[in-house]
Amino acid sequence: MRKTLHLEKTIYGQNDLTVPEAPQIALAGRSNVGKSSLLNRLAGRKQLAKTSSTPGKTQSINLYRVDPSGYYLVDLPGYGYARRSKEERARWAKLIERYLTGNERLQGVAVLIDCRLPPQQSDLDMVGWLRAEGVPVLGVLTKADKCTQRDRQAQKARWAALLGGQAPVLFSSVSGMGFEELWRLFDQAVGLADTESAAPAQRQETAQDA
Ligand SMILES: Nc1nc2c(ncn2[C@@H]2O[C@H](COP(=O)(O)OP(=O)(O)OP(=O)(O)O)[C@@H](O)[C@H]2O)c(=O)[nH]1
Ligand SMILES: [Mg+2]
């Protein structure tokens, strides 16, 4: 069944920091890597999340409910955006850290990485920090339309090694590459069996019951 996304809650600061009692997957990554664009592509709606060619567009934690699945995708402000004041960056980092650490319903964090760039320290720090916190990391290489096939495979192998053997999903918000694979990965991360593997199990149960 086709999924739809609805913006249900926006968190601007510590005072709004309450989260739903439902599974969540957050999207993290450096400013401008394509987090909001990826969300729009998954939603099939160009304007659902605001995007910009200028880094620092998303400035709040935005929770999108996935229907009919019942979990949330959470768009985060990007890290590594240098043009904000030091105080502002510290405030954001603290808010994001509090969201990511104090949240028992967080099932994973998709770390988005620009497929054109070599691994950046800030991405490695993020992955290391999430692992230390025990949060599953889902790797996504963005802007795959801008990379040659050869670069894509090289980056995939490089990040697979950095992610403990798990190959990242190659994704493009422009072409739609990786759309099905990413939904499958998110569904799995929140414990939803994919329909193809669930169907035979259901049939078997019915046969046993009869
Ligand atoms: N070619 C190409 N451009 C992309 C893709 N995804 C995003 N972009 C462009 O990259 C820029 C940044 O995209 P956003 O989705 O706003 O990035 P973000 O990670 O949400 O950025 P912040 O909100 O600042 O953290 C925009 O100009 C997008 O059009 C992609 O898959 N391919
Ligand atoms: Mg954004």
Side-chain angles (χ1 to χ4, degrees):
M1 190 187 286
R2 198 176 126 64
K3 297 182 195 290
T4 55
L5 265 67
H6 303 273
L7 177 62
E8 192 171 283
K9 188 178 163 72
T10 296
I11 298 169
Y12 294 100
Q14 307 276 350
N15 295 341
D16 323 311
L17 193 49
T18 53
V19 292
E21 280 299 318
Q24 292 150 50
I25 294 171
L27 308 179
R30 294 188 314 123
S31 266
N32 218 239
V33 72
K35 299 177 291 299
S36 302
S37 302
L38 175 144
L39 240 154
N40 286 342
R41 183 75 201 203
L42 291 182
R45 291 170 60 185
K46 286 208 161 84
Q47 312 276 346
L48 181 65
K50 290 199 186 79
T51 65
S52 168
S53 53
T54 313
K57 183 66 183 173
T58 306
Q59 302 197 18
S60 48
I61 298 178
N62 299 300
L63 291 103
Y64 295 87
R65 196 182 68 245
V66 181
D67 286 329
S69 312
Y71 62 92
Y72 287 77
L73 293 182
V74 182
D75 194 12
L76 298 176
Y79 45 80
Y81 179 45
R83 276 178 62 195
R84 293 202 184 289
S85 72
K86 206 172 163 190
E87 290 72 31
E88 214 175 351
R89 268 185 286 156
R91 194 171 69 82
W92 283 123
K94 202 160 185 179
L95 181 68
I96 294 167
E97 188 179 325
R98 269 203 55 195
Y99 168 77
L100 293 174
T101 50
N103 188 348
E104 286 181 3
R105 304 309 302 269
L106 187 69
Q107 305 294 300
V109 173
V111 177
L112 276 60
I113 296 141
D114 191 321
C115 78
R116 296 169 297 182
L117 303 178
Q120 307 284 295
Q121 191 57 48
S122 52
D123 295 323
L124 297 171
D125 289 348
M126 187 65 179
V127 169
W129 184 81
L130 288 166
R131 287 177 137 192
E133 291 291 327
V135 180
V137 175
L138 314 169
V140 182
L141 289 168
T142 64
K143 308 194 185 184
D145 57 289
K146 295 270 196 187
C147 285
T148 62
Q149 178 66 9
R150 190 190 167 132
D151 283 348
R152 282 180 207 148
Q153 295 315 322
Q155 285 287 61
K156 203 170 167 179
R158 200 174 198 179
W159 274 99
L162 292 168
L163 293 168
Q166 176 222 6
V169 174
L170 280 158
F171 192 88
S172 167
S173 299
V174 171
S175 72
M177 183 198 293
F179 178 95
E180 296 288 344
E181 192 184 351
L182 197 56
W183 271 129
R184 225 170 13 246
L185 190 66
F186 288 167
D187 281 357
Q188 276 168 7
V190 300
L192 289 177
D194 72 57
T195 38
E196 275 158 50
S197 55
Q202 254 169 15
R203 274 201 296 277
Q204 205 177 1
E205 249 171 45
T206 318
Q208 274 170 359
D209 287 345

